[in-house]
Amino acid sequence: MNDSDGRRRAAGELEGQVMTVLWSGGRSMTPAEVQARLDPAPAYNTVQTILIRLVDKQLVRRSRAGRAHAYEPVRSEADAAAAQLRATLSGVGDRHLTLQRFAETLDDAEAQVLRRLLSDTQPGTA
C-alpha cells in the first residue's frame, strides 16, 4: 500500500494508525469517520478492509450504526501496549538482559514511575 506521496507503508502501519484513531475517538466510529481522521486518507474500501482485519484479529469489535457498522477497540491503548510488551518479552531468550536494556532507555521520570509501580506490587508493601 502506498501513501499519497508514493511512499510504501510498512507492514501493519495503517492498522496502527487506525487503532490510534479509534483509541483517540473515545467512542465507536464508522469507517468514514476513521478515514476522515487519517492523513493522508486512504480509500474508504482500504479503511473498511483494515477494520475488518482488526475485527478478525479480535482487536476491534463491530456493531450496527444505522445502515453502516461502527468499530471500537476491545482493549485500551495502555492494555494493548502492555500485552504487546509482554508478548515481546516472552519471545526472547535472555529476559534479564532485555529488561536491563529496556531500563537503560528510560528517562529519569519514567524510571521513577517504574520503580514506584514495582515497589507498590511487592508483597508486604500494601
Side-chain angles (χ1 to χ4, degrees), residues 22-41:
L22 291 172
W23 282 317
S24 67
R27 61 177 176 76
S28 297
M29 298 177 74
T30 65
E33 292 170 323
V34 172
Q35 179 191 29
R37 291 190 182 190
L38 293 169
D39 185 30

Side-chain angles (χ1 to χ4, degrees), residues 6-124:
R7 180 182 69 86
R8 182 137 178 94
R9 282 195 178 99
E13 183 178 349
L14 186 53
E15 284 185 6
Q17 292 170 352
V18 167
M19 289 301 301
T20 298
V21 166
L22 291 172
W23 282 317
S24 67
R27 61 177 176 76
S28 297
M29 298 177 74
T30 65
E33 292 170 323
V34 172
Q35 179 191 29
R37 291 190 182 190
L38 293 169
D39 185 30
Y44 176 87
N45 288 345
T46 301
V47 174
Q48 196 170 31
T49 298
I50 294 298
L51 288 165
I52 290 167
R53 286 182 187 165
L54 291 169
V55 168
D56 292 344
K57 292 179 180 183
Q58 298 180 350
L59 298 173
V60 168
R61 74 176 128 260
R62 175 176 53 197
S63 59
R64 285 303 249 171
R67 292 178 31 166
H69 286 103
Y71 299 82
E72 64 182 322
V74 171
R75 296 179 179 180
S76 71
E77 185 174 16
D79 288 341
Q84 186 175 13
L85 289 170
R86 186 71 191 145
T88 299
L89 185 59
S90 69
V92 298
D94 189 341
R95 291 180 183 183
H96 182 271
L97 182 59
T98 302
L99 286 168
Q100 178 183 344
R101 294 287 157 71
F102 173 71
E104 291 168 356
T105 68
L106 299 175
D107 65 28
D108 289 340
E110 293 167 334
Q112 283 181 334
V113 168
L114 188 56
R115 280 187 200 98
R116 189 185 79 244
L117 291 171
L118 288 171
S119 69
D120 288 349
T121 62
Q122 296 298 316

